[in-house]
């Protein structure tokens, strides 16, 4: 069975530097794949490429069998890929509620939306997600004043509102307390029933908790792939990424 | 069409470019560094012309001294304006547009009330009203003066912004005021100096334009739109404005040579639109931050 | 002897909203103080209050006995405070070098050179001094932010979740570096951390914040699991 | 309880009262001049409305609204001019004086009033759709878009000025008699003319208001906040931007038509940079985030200009400039925000009595 | 508006007192106030004083249009005096015509208009160049270069000039128009340098005109070998540009401040002394405006005699204004009269040369009065008559603009 997302021989250069170098990976539907690697390995860049934020120098990206390589961001998003950014990106001048409402993007056509005043199913969904993200009490507030951790939660909430088939999570737990990390792990594991996830994280404890597969990138290329155990045993990975202490 | 006239057109293009550049230079600093959309820039130019006129007419200052003196006077006006108004608006760039539009009305009418609405005469040394001709190329000596002053100002601004600690401070404040402040930079002072400098440069431009064209309360209006086009097309950077003015000045001259002035202008406006279509961030703009 | 940094009944506001409420604590010379608490309790606000970046604060903030509470932000850093903000605050249009140089503006001696320690600790930065900082990866930016704060030549280093987004072996390294800065160079640290483990390892003392108030404090050894349970889980 | 200002029902009630007030004016006023003048203000109100929609809600600062307005106005003037030409005398006098001996092809359709009126709206709307489409697709935004509209406006201005035989140059087009609709002459000083303008204004306002309250409006606000982020939610940012820019352009085109109906005159001054700037100023002074506020801004400034301008001859511009400065300095969201904070104060009074815990006062809502 | 004996007659002064047009138009307002003061001192019009209603059109055509309506409908003035540019005149004419009102348009313009509601006291395009062109060709040579601002009046004036140029055996070596308000003459001067004309015929207006003369000299052109013959460069302009830039160039106008006759001397002296003389000079545009007040006085009195004071309407004034003469004793430029058909003015254009001190020396005056002809270059359009434009086929169309 082919993967939901297939990245084939992807390369990306900025000016002279090759940031992604002949990188391939495949994510099977219904799994949770953790993408790890040193700072600057190209994880975020890979997400940029998948979501159409930048265009690759070469290579193809297939989503559900369809080539999405040169597509626009919104087309890719509509196809069912949602993304949480590494630097949390929420709509700062809108309220938390409005943020979630906008993210509920079943109808995206501007002309249809001109005549749309109420969205079916919005209220229930919104309540559900807000509770999940712990933001129920802050729905009326402007998103710009949230603390870092709250912003992270809001953005996760927005991605969930989108109901995508594939979720790209770039460092979702940065700045969360340990309790919240556990909660996030639970949510992610739950999500796996209905969606596919790619999670970028440096927190190995979290990765251990959630990952079905771990993919390691280094200098824009695939370094290793396998279960966490296999990865942790890989000397190259320990060398460039984990360090002796963590692996021990 | 012969080569000589084309050469003349090219030389003239350089001169037009320098005029547009000196008009836009102060604006580049104010917009590029402080993010203020200064609609009163044209009136700063006008004030430059009037301060030169005033110094010359009432105090008999020689023209060549009027130019730097205008820098100081208009710079001081800019400083006062910054302290009194602009500094409250730094995090609202579009509002600066509106507020400075109000300022421009006040300055224009204020000058009219003081000096009257009739055009004023600004005298320059006799040698400036002659021309230099080399073979079949010819240019007026005053245009050479403008070119030199412009070059000098650009060089000065460049040195200040890219070679001094002050320059680093300005650019730091412009990107992130809080961070700059956290590292000991007095952003309020930096803004103030930047704004005054930009205003002062407009003053220099004014004292030059007063000799080239006319001294009137409304004279500034004709420069401000052009200056904005240059600054924004250039992406808000110094190098961008220099190149944008250079290219459009040349184009204006060459198109006017082949067709006429009005049509040349039309073409330039359209070209700017087309250009921005393909480089939506202007010339030399930095790529935005990543997410 | 008075403390290096002293908060005396500090209340801090954004607009009309009180975020920090009557916070008092001392940071002794050479100490590493960990500030802990759930999301949104006011840890970042505490840091920003020290730097003068909140809208308003009352109460006294003293560095070495000198009151800085009423001073504008740019006059605070020269007291020897280096700040690594949450979200890093890198100036994207500057090169790596210029970003580090920014730190030197707050030096007491005004020397416009990059102190060698900044580059020694972070080899990536050393090799990429002329790169535009906006293009760096998240972790690289974090390293840069620490280097920049070190360029201040600080007596106190404020670190707002400094290991966020950093690869494990460098987290470890940063831990070592902070320990080194603290123990060998005698720089005092105020550190917010979500990882109790890291806090336990580095900290000398802790400050537990909840809803803008200090709810517990003491030497790190007194930070019981029960306390953590009560104030840090949801 | 929330701020009454943000209460949708209250907003609609205020709108209804406002327009009802405007509607009864012709009954109360018999001064032909005043009626004509008020109708002209209605045109300015339409323009402020269009700016508020595009800039306030869409976040697209348009310094070239004069393009759509001017094209609409020219279309109307051409239609009216052709109404006064006859079979035997098909060419407008100014063309004859510019040695044209045949009607230019693009003037032909305007011989038919219906076609002329349709074109007057269609051409500017299409222009906005195409220009906006191309530009927003290329992701031109912020000040860059503003400057492009400015450049485009200047280009139009210059070319209309230069093509004197076809456009009348700087003198513009002066249809000698008022507009005739279905054989009836619409006296610009009559209540009929006033009603027409008011009718269009009300329709435009209601549509605009509905738009801001629809899902479209929410997405547009999101785009204003962070266009980049919204793309990843699946919305075509360019599509939304083009749509709001075009709708606002269409309103401006209607305004252009109405103006010419009222003054029987069009000239490049309608495409002057200064005029487009004043539209932005009206909206800003009144409150760009409030449609009604923006309109009132136009009424206020133009009214003051008409009635105070001559009383304070020499100092009028000083007063006006000073007023702008004060409003911008102290009321970032225009005069409408004065009402907003007043109502906000009312709403929060009882709450102040209880303890103001953190997060008590939310910042003002992003839109009305 | 029925007039009442004993109540002042209201007239509207519709000029820009602020904005770009304020430079010429402020002077127009001042001189009209002076003229009406003078008229009122000498018994007023038809025995009652004239009360000018002054408004500011703010250099904005929209305001011109609005103020026109206000003056006519609300102030109920008997006549309007206003406008300096053709564009503003066109902006208000629909209203003036619709209300069958009366506009005194007191400056030079291009003609090609035939309404029943205007009286013009300035020269038409055909009157200006008739003398100037032959004079220049004879004195400096055949080759001429036309430079003008890019709008209607310069283009029409140049069409007229071409007619006279051909008659004088001259040769047109170039024709350029620069955008209104532009102050960059580099490209045009470059073309002039290449074309090597013997003189330049200029219809550049306003601020541009000053920039033109300055840059002309700065670019090394010599006034002795290639002077500028202008229709616009009068006393205010030469003062603003500095006499050194104006000296030696020529102007054709019906009036110069230096005209040597007792009426003018009295006019200049009294005007400059009065509270309206603050701008320190008189020039052709002011004098033409001044005359319009007297044309109004004469027209009104004639109409009052014909229909009775109470029944004087704007239209009646206009219909009675044909043939009105302003005699030497009143008119600083010498006798003028209003044409009975097209209601423009018969006058004597003069050619002045700017001197080193900025004043003008009259070097030639027309021998006889020159007839105004608004359709001189469009004979096919017809002839302007009292009731409208009479086409060659005999049809008369009213309100042609
Ligand atoms: N627009 C760009 N221009 C030039 N270089 C870039 C650009 N974007 C990314 N890079 C470089 O590409 C490399 C990979 O960056 P990326 O952000 O993908 O790393 P990452 O794996 O997400 O790291 P981290 O874990 O620190 O977030 C970095 O060295 C970065 O500097
Ligand atoms: N500019 C602001 N205006 C109003 N309230 C604010 C502002 N900034 C932050 N807050 C509020 O202050 C509270 C504390 O925020 P702070 O950023 O200090 O939290 P934190 O403890 O650092 O949390 P985290 O661990 O998520 O970073 C939050 O409730 C936040 O919403
Ligand atoms: Mg990353
Ligand atoms: Mg925080």
């Amino acid at each position: 069975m082919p993967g939901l997302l297939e990245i084939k021989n992807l390369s990306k250069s900025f000016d002279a530097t090759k940031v992604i170098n002949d990188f391939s990976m495949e994510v099977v539907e219904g799994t949770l794949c953790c993408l790890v690697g040193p700072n600057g390995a190209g994880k975020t860049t890979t997400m940029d490429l998948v979501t159409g934020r930048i265009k690759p120098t070469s290579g193809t990206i297939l989503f559900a069998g369809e080539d999405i390589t040169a597509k626009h961001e919104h087309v890719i998003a509509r196809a069912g890929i949602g993304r949480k950014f590494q630097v949390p990106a929420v709509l700062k001048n809108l309220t938390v509620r409005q943020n979630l409402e906008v993210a509920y993007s079943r109808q995206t056509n501007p002309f249809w939306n001109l005549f749309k005043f109420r969205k079916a199913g919005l209220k229930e969904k919104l309540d559900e997600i807000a509770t999940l993200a712990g933001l129920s009490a802050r729905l009326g507030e402007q998103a710009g004043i949230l603390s870092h951790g709250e912003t992270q939660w809001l953005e996760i909430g927005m991605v969930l509102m989108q109901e995508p088939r594939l979720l790209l999570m770039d460092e979702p737990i940065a700045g969360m307390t340990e309790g919240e990390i556990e909660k996030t792990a639970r949510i992610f594991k739950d999500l796996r029933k209905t969606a596919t996830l790619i999670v970028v994280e440096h927190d190995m404890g979290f990765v251990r908790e959630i990952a079905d597969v771990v993919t390691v990138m280094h200098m824009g290329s695939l370094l290793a792939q396998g279960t966490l155990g296999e990865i942790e045993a890989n000397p190259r990975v320990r060398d460039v990424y984990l360090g002796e202490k963590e692996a021990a | 069409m012969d080569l000589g006239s084309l050469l003349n057109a090219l030389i003239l293009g350089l001169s037009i470019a320098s005029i547009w550049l000196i008009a836009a230079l102060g604006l580049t600093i104010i917009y590029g560094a402080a993010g203020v959309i200064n609609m009163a820039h044209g009136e700063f130019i006008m004030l430059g012309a009037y301060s030169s006129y005033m110094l010359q007419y009432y105090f008999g200052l020689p023209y060549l001294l009027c130019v730097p003196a205008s820098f100081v006077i208009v710079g001081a006006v800019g400083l006062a304006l910054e302290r009194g108004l602009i500094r409250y608006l730094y995090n609202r760039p579009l509002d600066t547009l509106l507020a400075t539009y109000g300022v421009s009305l006040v300055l224009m009418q204020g000058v009219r009330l003081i000096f009257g609405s009739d055009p004023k005469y600004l005298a320059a040394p006799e040698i400036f009203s002659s021309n230099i001709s080399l073979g079949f190329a010819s240019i007026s000596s005053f245009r050479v003066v403008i070119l030199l002053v412009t070059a000098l100002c650009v060089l000065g601004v460049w040195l200040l912004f890219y070679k001094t600690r002050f320059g680093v401070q300005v650019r730091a404040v412009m990107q992130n005021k809080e961070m700059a402040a956290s590292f000991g930079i007095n952003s309020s002072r930096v803004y103030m100096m930047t704004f005054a400098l930009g205003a002062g440069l407009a003053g220099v431009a004014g004292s030059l334009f007063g000799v080239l064209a006319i001294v009137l309360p409304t004279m500034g209006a004709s420069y401000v739109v052009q200056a904005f086009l240059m600054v924004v097309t250039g992406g808000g950077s110094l190098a961008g404005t220099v190149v944008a003015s250079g290219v459009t000045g040349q184009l204006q001259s060459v198109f006017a040579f082949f067709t006429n002035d009005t049509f040349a202008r039309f073409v330039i406006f359209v070209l700017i639109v087309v250009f921005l279509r393909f480089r939506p961030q202007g010339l030399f703009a930095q790529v935005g931050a990543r997410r | 002897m008075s403390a290096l940094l002293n908060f005396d009944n500090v209340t801090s506001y954004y607009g009309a909203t009180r975020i920090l409420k009557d916070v008092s604590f001392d940071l002794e010379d050479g100490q590493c103080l960990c500030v802990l608490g759930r999301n949104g309790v006011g840890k970042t606000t505490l840091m920003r209050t020290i730097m003068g970046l909140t809208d308003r604060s009352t109460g006294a903030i003293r560095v070495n006995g000198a009151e800085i509470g009423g001073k504008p932000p740019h006059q605070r850093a020269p007291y020897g405070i280096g700040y690594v903000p949450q979200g890093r605050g890198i100036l994207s249009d500057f090169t790596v070098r210029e970003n580090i140089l920014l730190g030197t503006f707050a030096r007491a001696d005004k020397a416009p050179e990059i102190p060698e320690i900044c580059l020694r600790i972070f080899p990536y930065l050393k090799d990429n001094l002329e790169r535009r900082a906006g293009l760096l990866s998240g972790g690289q930016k974090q390293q840069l932010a620490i280097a920049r704060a070190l360029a201040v030549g600080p007596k106190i280093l404020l670190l707002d979740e400094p290991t966020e987004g950093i690869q494990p072996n460098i987290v470890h390294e940063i831990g070592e570096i902070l320990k080194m800065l603290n123990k060998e160079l005698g720089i005092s640290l105020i550190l917010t951390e979500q990882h109790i483990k890291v806090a336990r390892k580095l900290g000398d003392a802790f400050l537990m914040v909840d809803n803008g108030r200090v709810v517990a404090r003491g030497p790190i050894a007194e930070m019981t699991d029960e306390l953590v349970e009560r104030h840090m889980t949801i | 309880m929330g701020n009454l200002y943000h209460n949708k029902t209250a907003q609609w009630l205020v709108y209804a009262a406002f327009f009802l007030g405007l509607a009864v004016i012709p009954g109360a006023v018999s001064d032909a001049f005043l009626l004509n003048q008020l109708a002209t203000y209605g045109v300015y109100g339409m323009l402020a409305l269009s700016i508020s929609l595009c800039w306030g809600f869409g976040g697209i600062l348009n310094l070239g609204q004069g393009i759509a307005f001017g094209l609409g106005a020219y279309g109307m003037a051409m239609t009216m001019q052709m109404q006064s030409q006859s079979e035997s005398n098909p060419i407008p006098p100014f063309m004859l004086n510019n040695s044209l001996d045949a009607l230019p092809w693009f003037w032909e359709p305007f011989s038919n009033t219906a076609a002329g009126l349709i074109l007057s709206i269609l051409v500017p709307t299409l222009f906005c759709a195409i220009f906006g489409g191309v530009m927003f697709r290329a992701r031109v935004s912020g000040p860059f878009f503003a400057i492009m509209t400015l450049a485009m406006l200047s280009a139009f201005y210059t070319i209309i000025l230069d093509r004197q035989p076809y456009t009348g140059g700087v003198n513009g087009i002066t249809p000698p008699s008022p507009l005739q609709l279905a054989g009836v002459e619409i006296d610009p000083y009559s209540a009929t003319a006033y009603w027409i303008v008011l009718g269009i204004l009300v329709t435009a306002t209601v549509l605009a208001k509905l738009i801001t309250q629809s899902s479209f409006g929410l997405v547009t606000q999101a785009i204003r906040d962070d266009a980049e982020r919204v793309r990843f939610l699946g919305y075509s940012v360019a599509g939304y931007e083009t749509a709001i820019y075009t709708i606002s352009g269409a309103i401006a085109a209607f305004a252009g038509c109405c103006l010419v109906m009222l003054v029987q005159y069009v000239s490049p001054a309608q495409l002057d940079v200064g005029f487009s700037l004043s539209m932005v100023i009206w909206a800003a002074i009144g409150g760009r985030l409030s449609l009604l506020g923006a309109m009132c801004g136009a009424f206020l400034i133009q009214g003051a200009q008409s009635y105070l301008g001559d009383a304070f001859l020499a100092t009028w511009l000083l007063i006006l400039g000073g007023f702008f400065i004060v409003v911008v300095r102290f009321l970032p969201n225009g005069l409408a925000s004065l009402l907003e904070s007043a109502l906000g104060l009312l709403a929060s009074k009882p709450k102040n009595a209880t303890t103001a815990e953190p997060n008590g006062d939310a910042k003002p809502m992003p839109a009305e | 508006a029925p007039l009442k004996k004993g109540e002042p007659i209201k007239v509207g002064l519709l000029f820009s007192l602020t904005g770009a047009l304020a430079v010429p138009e402020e002077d127009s307002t001042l001189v009209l106030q002076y003229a009406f003061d003078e008229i009122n001192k000498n018994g007023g019009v038809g025995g009652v004083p004239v009360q000018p209603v002054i408004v500011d059109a703010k250099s904005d055509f929209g305001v011109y249009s609005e103020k026109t309506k206000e003056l006519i409908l609300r102030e109920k003035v008997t006549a309007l005096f206003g406008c300096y540019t053709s564009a503003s005149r066109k902006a208000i004419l629909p209203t003036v015509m619709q209300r069958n009102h009366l506009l005194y348009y007191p400056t030079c313009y291009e003609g090609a208009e035939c309404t029943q509601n205007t009286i013009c006291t300035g020269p038409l395009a055909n009157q200006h160049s008739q003398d100037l062109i032959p004079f220049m060709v004879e004195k400096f040579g055949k080759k001429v270069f036309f430079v003008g601002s890019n709008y209607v009046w310069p283009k029409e004036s140049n069409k007229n000039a071409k007619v006279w140029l051909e008659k004088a055996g001259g040769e047109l070596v170039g024709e350029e128009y620069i955008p209104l308000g532009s102050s960059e003459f580099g490209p045009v001067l470059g073309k002039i340098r290449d074309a090597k004309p013997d003189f330049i015929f200029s219809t550049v207006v306003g601020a541009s005109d000053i920039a033109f003369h300055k840059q002309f000299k700065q670019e090394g052109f010599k006034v002795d070998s290639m002077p500028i013959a202008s229709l616009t460069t009068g006393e205010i302009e030469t003062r603003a540009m500095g006499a050194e830039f104006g000296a030696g160039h020529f102007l054709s106008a019906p009036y110069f401040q230096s005209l040597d006759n007792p009426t003018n001397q009295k006019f200049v002296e009294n005007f400059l002394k009065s509270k309206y003389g603050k701008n320190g000079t008189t020039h052709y545009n002011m004098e033409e405006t001044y005359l319009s007040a007297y044309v109004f006085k004469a027209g009104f009195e004639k109409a009052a005699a014909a229909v009775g004071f109470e029944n004087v309407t704007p239209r009646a004034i206009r219909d009675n204004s044909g043939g009105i003469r302003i005699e030497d004793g009143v008119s600083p430029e010498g006798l003028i009269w209003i044409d009975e058909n097209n209601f423009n003015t018969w006058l004597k254009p003069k050619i002045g040369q700017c001197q080193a001190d900025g004043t003008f020396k009259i070097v030639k005056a027309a021998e006889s009065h020159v007839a105004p002809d608004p359709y001189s270059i469009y004979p096919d359009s017809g002839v302007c008559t009292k009731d409208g434009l009479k086409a060659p086929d005999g049809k008369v169309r009213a309100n042609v603009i």
Side-chain angles (χ1 to χ4, degrees), chain D residues 31-34 36-37 40-41 44 85 88-89 93-94 96-99 161-162 164 168 170-171 174-176 178 185 187-189 262-265 267 269 305-307 309-310 313 316-317, chain E residues 17-18 54-56 58 60-63 65-67 69-70 73-74 86-91 93-95 97-99 110 112 150-152 155-156 159 180 375 378 381 395 397 399-401:
Chain D
D31 180 350
F33 167 69
L34 188 62
N36 179 271
Q37 189 180 43
T40 321
Y41 291 173
Y44 299 141
Q85 304 305 132
S88 64
N89 176 30
F94 77 85
L96 291 172
N97 299 347
N98 282 289
S99 357
L161 216 61
D162 195 47
Q164 192 180 305
V170 74
N171 281 0
T174 317
E185 185 163 288
D187 178 3
Y189 304 93
L262 294 171
V263 303
Q264 292 181 50
Y265 171 70
S267 81
Q305 172 118 308
S306 302
Y307 286 94
D310 290 322
L313 264 185
W316 167 241
L317 282 179
Chain E
L17 303 173
T18 48
I54 299 162
V55 295
D56 176 15
K58 304 187 175 68
D60 176 338
F61 300 148
V63 178
S65 161
E66 183 186 323
K67 291 295 172 195
K69 293 170 186 168
E70 186 175 333
L73 295 169
R74 179 166 287 171
S86 292
S88 56
R89 185 186 72 248
K90 299 265 186 201
L93 274 182
T95 312
M97 294 186 319
Q98 215 223 0
R99 297 280 136 181
E110 64 276 4
N150 193 354
Y151 75 109
V152 183
K155 290 185 175 174
E156 296 297 302
K159 284 183 197 162
L180 270 172
Y375 285 88
Y378 307 107
S381 298
K395 269 197 199 136
R397 277 193 299 135
N399 295 340
V400 177
I401 55 171

Side-chain angles (χ1 to χ4, degrees), chain C residues 42-60:
Chain C
K43 304 183 294 296
T44 300
T45 309
L46 176 77
M47 300 285 202
R48 290 172 60 86
T49 306
I50 298 174
M51 295 313 296
L53 298 174
T54 57
D55 291 349
R56 190 164 66 90
S57 69
T58 60

Side-chain angles (χ1 to χ4, degrees), chain A residues 38-39 148 171 175 177 180 241, chain C residues 39 86 137 161 165 167 169 194:
Chain A
N39 292 134
H148 178 68
E171 308 201 1
T177 57
E180 286 176 313
Y241 183 59
Chain C
N39 292 137
Q86 187 157 34
S137 81
E161 308 200 14
Q167 68 189 72
N169 53 355
Q194 303 284 17

Side-chain angles (χ1 to χ4, degrees), chain A:
Chain A
M1 179 182 122
L4 181 65
L5 181 75
E6 291 174 79
I7 297 175
K8 291 183 185 160
N9 307 97
L10 199 64
S11 292
K12 174 71 191 177
S13 314
F14 292 107
D15 305 325
T17 39
K18 216 164 191 172
V19 174
I20 303 293
N21 191 0
D22 199 24
F23 177 70
S24 303
M25 90 183 250
E26 193 175 315
V27 183
V28 179
E29 180 138 30
T31 58
L32 193 159
C33 169
C34 277
L35 186 58
V36 301
N39 292 134
K43 304 178 296 294
T44 302
T45 309
T46 305
M47 292 204 164
D48 283 350
L49 287 164
V50 171
T51 51
R53 190 160 187 269
I54 50 179
K55 306 283 168 249
T57 317
S58 66
T60 46
I61 303 166
L62 300 182
F63 178 65
E66 200 183 321
D67 189 347
I68 57 165
T69 318
K71 296 260 163 50
H72 284 300
E73 295 94 320
H74 63 273
V75 179
I76 295 174
R78 276 183 217 168
I81 300 185
R83 173 176 181 188
K84 184 213 154 291
F85 290 82
Q86 179 165 8
V87 179
V90 298
L91 305 164
K92 290 201 170 72
N93 294 314
L94 266 53
T95 60
V96 172
R97 179 195 303 279
Q98 284 173 321
N99 265 280
L100 294 173
E101 239 175 83
V102 173
Y104 190 67
S105 51
R106 287 188 180 168
Q107 177 56 269
T108 54
N109 184 308
F111 296 101
W112 265 114
N113 275 338
L114 273 176
F115 310 104
K116 230 175 154 65
F117 294 90
R118 212 163 277 117
K119 296 186 194 175
L122 171 68
K123 198 175 164 339
E124 299 75 48
K125 181 88 186 168
L126 201 146
D127 287 345
E128 177 200 329
I129 301 289
T131 316
L132 197 64
L135 290 167
S136 304
R138 313 207 63 174
L139 280 176
E141 255 163 80
Q142 231 179 317
I145 68 160
L146 296 183
S147 80
H148 178 68
E150 291 164 331
T151 313
Q152 291 273 42
W153 273 109
L154 176 56
E155 205 184 5
I156 293 174
M158 287 169 72
V159 178
L160 297 182
M161 286 298 281
Q162 263 180 282
E163 303 180 327
R165 276 176 82 183
L166 175 68
L167 289 87
L168 307 181
M169 295 282 182
D170 205 346
E171 308 201 1
I173 60 160
M176 286 188 184
T177 57
E178 280 165 15
E180 286 176 313
I181 293 174
E182 277 166 34
K183 178 172 147 192
T184 313
R186 272 201 311 280
I187 294 175
F188 282 10
K189 279 192 275 189
D190 255 7
L191 268 175
R192 202 163 24 176
K193 290 178 206 139
T194 53
T196 310
L197 290 96
I198 301 179
V199 179
V200 170
E201 226 355 291
H202 290 297
D203 184 323
M204 282 304 124
F206 184 67
V207 171
R208 181 172 298 116
E209 183 83 18
I210 59 168
D212 297 322
V213 198
V214 180
T215 305
V216 188
M217 280 186 90
H218 180 50
M219 310 218 349
S221 313
L222 184 75
L223 183 68
Q225 191 160 26
T227 62
L228 187 72
E230 290 163 13
I231 297 302
E232 282 179 332
N234 186 325
R236 284 275 287 141
V237 177
R238 285 164 71 145
D239 192 30
V240 301
Y241 183 59
L242 297 174
E244 288 317 311
K245 168 96 190 340
E246 188 76 25

